[in-house]
Amino acid sequence: MDKKAEEKLEQLGAFEISNQMLTLAQKNEKSNIFLNAGRGNPNWINTKARAAFSRLMLFGIEESQRTIHESDLAGYTELNGIRERLEAFLEPDKNPSDQFLTDVLAYVKQLGLNQDEVVKELIDGIIGNNYPVPSRILKNAEVILNHYLQSVLYHGVELEKQTSLFATEGGTAAIVYIFNSLKENKLIKPGDKIAINTPIFTPYLQIPELNDYEMVEIDLRSNEENNWEISPQAIDQLQDPAIKAFFIVNPSNPGSKAFDQKALAEIKKAVAKNPDLMIITDDVYGTFVEDFQTVYSVVPHNTLLVYSFSKLFGATGWRLGLIGVHDDNVFDRLIKNLAAKDQQALAKRYDLVVLEPEKMKFIDRMVADSRSIGLYHTSGLSTPQQIMEVLFALTHLVAGKQDAYLETSKKIVATRYEDLFDSLGLPKDDSPENAKYYSIIDLYRLAEERYGKDFREYLTDNFEQIDFLLNLAQKNGIVLMDGVGFGAASGDLRVSEANLPTEDYRLIGSQVLELLAEYHQKFEAQK
Ligand SMILES: *Cc1c(COP(=O)(O)O)cnc(C)c1O
């Protein structure tokens, strides 16, 4: 590819470039096996919750046939005695997923929930014969999912009783809904300063509305010199009340680092000085970090929490996400403090669907906004999706502290990370904050370390930053992602440790070195 074509390609987002490279890699010149380490989609799945889902579907069909049964047509389930009938249906001795469901019954009792009601919610949710009611999230689902978030993200801070949840179509919809409702409710206005911890998951940089805001990337930017950690001094800049909102991916993508206790303490200090600061934290990789603590548990009144089941449970096709918000929060407070004119306009906006629009909480406004308000009565995540979230969550809750599944997922990405860095001969970052779900290879630094400064300069001066990536795809059949699209520096390549068989990671390392050696030969030849 010539330099012009490469420049044009660089204008596209990281995911679009990656798509272009897939085609090149599939018919690579060396006829190597094609390896796509560009995407974050995991190559594992959770089987326990899925098996339980299908058992509950079968049970739900039997239950439905109790009230009407005429060939394929059945009736509705009945609450009375449903838990006992489920127990009679289950065969825990023969079937591990039935043992899991037996454990679930004991667990929900321990939570103080009514077992019959939980079973009916699970069954009806899976059967899917009613609109989601309440539309924001099903009743028992909210309690169970709150316990899950508390267990995996809050680091011992108890918030499960004060947190309201909204079940969404993945983290993707959660992000879209949040942006939209912040804007519609005039909590962020064109020209406002919004801080962001770059490099960051591209959608945060690509949402077109963002052009209306003044993006303050301040010095939260993490880079290789500081090991992709956010510096406490940088966080201090959030004390400026001109900064309205702070969008975080934690652990970050592509840096894969979580905020450490020092950074969390600085966030707390910043919020004390800037009490109206709105924080949105996307914690989809939180479970990959030992002793992870979310920003939500440090400054709960100021933070919207985004979670997704996609990564840990291998469930990107299901579209399973959550938004969490504290019952006493800055978003509701700021809406109450809006100018009278804005208040009136908003009252009119939500008046269509609620009797007292001025009392409508921000989280419920998000639910209404997600369906253009007019369709509020049919809003909400599909009930089978909600139950799938609940079952994934329960696999963890029932396992308690010994969650072998969660530990295995961490071990898988850590092994791949080690193999990759060993084969590249690069130092590893084994700090507890490193999620190792992704890693960043600084190509220019690698070039300098192996062949010296002149070679580094030759690479940066003579080639577009994506030239190496394109050749890696075209010649060697390996697709990595350009970090520039995430706001990283030129030459930063993102490798996903999630989506290829473990044995391929050494191969990726050796192929990167092989291609680099070819560039070096060219460099020597032209000297
Ligand atoms: C993968 C990813 C998401 C997307 O989550 P979905 O639930 O699959 O929509 C959100 N945020 C970040 C940072 C991600 O990496």
Side-chain angles (χ1 to χ4, degrees):
M1 202 174 282
D2 65 29
K3 223 172 148 112
K4 266 241 158 60
E6 288 182 352
E7 275 169 14
K8 201 158 164 222
L9 203 52
E10 283 170 4
Q11 305 300 311
L12 295 175
F15 288 88
E16 287 71 26
I17 297 175
S18 167
N19 279 340
Q20 300 274 332
M21 291 194 299
L22 289 185
T23 326
L24 295 174
Q26 272 154 347
K27 43 182 194 205
N28 68 81
E29 290 167 11
K30 295 183 181 169
S31 302
N32 286 346
I33 52 163
F34 154 63
L35 296 177
N36 180 7
R39 300 306 295 262
N41 208 95
N43 74 339
W44 64 81
I45 63 161
N46 179 288
T47 56
K48 188 183 267 175
R50 285 172 166 94
F53 186 94
S54 63
R55 288 293 283 159
L56 289 173
M57 176 70 95
L58 287 176
F59 173 68
I61 289 167
E62 284 186 14
E63 277 294 295
S64 306
Q65 287 169 336
R66 291 181 66 248
T67 51
I68 309 177
H69 189 186
E70 307 219 16
S71 97
D72 293 342
L73 186 150
Y76 273 23
T77 60
E78 286 180 321
L79 178 68
N80 199 8
I82 197 167
R83 190 259 308 159
E84 271 173 49
R85 290 192 297 279
L86 175 61
E87 280 177 339
F89 171 88
L90 295 174
E91 299 178 302
D93 304 336
K94 290 193 191 150
N95 188 335
S97 65
D98 284 12
Q99 181 58 54
F100 166 57
L101 287 169
T102 306
D103 296 343
V104 163
L105 287 174
Y107 175 78
V108 299
K109 187 174 180 188
Q110 192 195 313
L111 285 189
L113 297 175
N114 179 303
Q115 289 174 306
D116 284 305
E117 282 176 16
V118 171
V119 174
K120 187 153 163 60
E121 186 176 297
L122 291 171
I123 298 309
D124 288 350
I126 286 177
I127 296 277
N129 56 352
N130 272 298
Y131 285 103
V133 178
S135 51
R136 179 162 59 74
I137 193 163
L138 300 175
K139 191 174 138 224
N140 294 294
E142 184 172 33
V143 176
I144 294 167
L145 292 168
N146 256 319
H147 278 274
Y148 173 73
L149 294 176
Q150 150 111 1
S151 175
V152 293
L153 302 180
Y154 301 170
H155 204 251
V157 181
E158 294 200 3
L159 289 165
E160 92 275 8
K161 291 207 170 68
Q162 300 107 290
T163 304
S164 293
L165 303 178
F166 172 20
T168 61
E169 298 82 357
T172 302
I175 295 162
V176 170
Y177 296 160
I178 288 171
F179 257 109
N180 185 43
S181 289
L182 286 175
K183 203 172 111 171
E184 291 294 353
N185 285 280
K186 307 186 193 300
L187 298 183
I188 48 174
K189 294 195 232 30
D192 277 352
K193 287 188 177 176
I194 295 176
I196 203 158
N197 68 320
T198 57
I200 195 167
F201 186 50
T202 35
Y204 286 104
L205 300 172
Q206 286 176 320
I207 298 176
E209 283 80 33
L210 281 180
N211 296 333
D212 298 342
Y213 305 98
E214 190 180 333
M215 289 300 271
V216 188
E217 285 186 20
I218 35 184
D219 278 332
L220 298 179
R221 172 183 289 274
S222 8
N223 59 39
E224 195 174 12
E225 280 70 51
N226 59 23
N227 239 338
W228 306 106
E229 275 161 37
I230 287 177
S231 78
Q233 296 86 326
I235 293 173
D236 290 349
Q237 295 177 70
L238 295 168
Q239 297 180 4
D240 176 0
I243 296 176
K244 300 287 182 220
F246 178 31
F247 285 83
I248 315 169
V249 175
N250 183 31
S252 56
N253 171 2
S256 234
K257 292 298 285 280
F259 285 34
D260 62 11
Q261 289 298 327
K262 257 193 324 210
L264 293 174
E266 292 302 314
I267 295 260
K268 198 167 177 154
K269 251 174 39 194
V271 166
K273 291 260 170 62
N274 184 5
D276 289 347
L277 182 67
M278 296 177 280
I279 300 177
I280 292 83
T281 187
D282 176 343
D283 291 1
V284 302
Y285 301 104
T287 59
F288 293 89
V289 167
E290 208 66 54
D291 293 327
F292 176 75
Q293 180 163 18
T294 174
V295 167
Y296 174 65
S297 70
V298 176
V299 281
H301 304 288
N302 292 69
T303 305
L304 285 170
L305 172 68
V306 173
Y307 182 71
S308 160
F309 294 81
S310 284
K311 307 287 165 39
L312 176 59
F313 296 99
T316 46
W318 272 94
R319 315 309 304 125
L320 305 178
L322 287 171
I323 300 173
V325 63
H326 196 277
D327 292 337
D328 172 15
N329 65 74
V330 70
F331 308 92
D332 290 330
R333 179 160 57 76
L334 290 176
I335 288 172
K336 286 210 177 75
N337 293 344
L338 287 172
K341 172 172 77 51
D342 289 339
Q343 298 253 20
Q344 278 158 14
L346 284 171
K348 218 169 138 193
R349 176 181 171 84
Y350 295 106
D351 186 30
L352 297 168
V353 288
V354 287
L355 289 173
E356 297 179 290
E358 59 288 333
K359 288 194 183 151
M360 193 181 193
K361 301 205 76 146
F362 181 67
I363 191 164
D364 294 315
R365 292 176 189 225
M366 279 195 282
V367 182
D369 290 336
S370 76
R371 297 295 182 266
S372 305
I373 300 173
L375 294 153
Y376 185 33
H377 62 293
T378 52
S379 59
L381 183 66
S382 94
T383 58
Q385 281 170 285
Q386 294 198 41
I387 302 307
M388 197 70 242
E389 292 193 1
V390 169
L391 291 172
F392 281 140
L394 283 166
T395 62
H396 169 74
L397 292 168
V398 164
K401 292 221 180 330
Q402 311 293 322
D403 186 350
Y405 177 86
L406 198 147
E407 293 307 320
T408 306
S409 74
K410 276 194 284 206
K411 222 177 282 161
I412 284 180
V413 292
T415 304
R416 294 171 182 177
Y417 172 88
E418 279 159 30
D419 287 354
L420 177 71
F421 277 68
D422 283 345
S423 67
L424 285 167
L426 287 174
K428 286 176 288 232
D429 170 10
D430 285 324
S431 62
E433 289 81 23
N434 191 358
K436 300 182 177 170
Y437 195 96
Y438 302 105
S439 50
I440 295 176
I441 303 172
D442 179 346
L443 180 69
Y444 297 144
R445 184 175 148 191
L446 185 67
E448 181 173 340
E449 278 176 11
R450 295 189 83 87
Y451 302 108
K453 229 184 168 80
D454 291 351
F455 176 60
R456 177 191 181 123
E457 276 165 21
Y458 162 82
L459 274 186
T460 52
D461 294 350
N462 292 285
F463 300 96
E464 282 302 303
Q465 118 245 337
I466 63 166
D467 191 74
F468 187 88
L469 275 181
L470 286 172
N471 275 317
L472 194 63
Q474 195 164 10
K475 292 188 175 159
N476 302 57
I478 289 175
V479 177
L480 306 183
M481 238 173 180
D482 178 18
V484 174
F486 294 87
S490 177
D492 286 336
L493 314 180
R494 186 187 85 161
V495 185
S496 158
E497 270 89 56
N499 71 342
L500 285 175
T502 302
E503 59 272 21
D504 290 337
Y505 284 86
R506 284 188 185 280
L507 202 59
I508 292 174
S510 62
Q511 295 282 314
V512 166
L513 292 183
E514 189 180 306
L515 182 62
L516 197 61
E518 286 173 29
Y519 276 85
H520 184 246
Q521 274 161 16
K522 259 195 260 173
F523 166 68
E524 288 293 329
Q526 55 98 56
K527 268 211 293 206

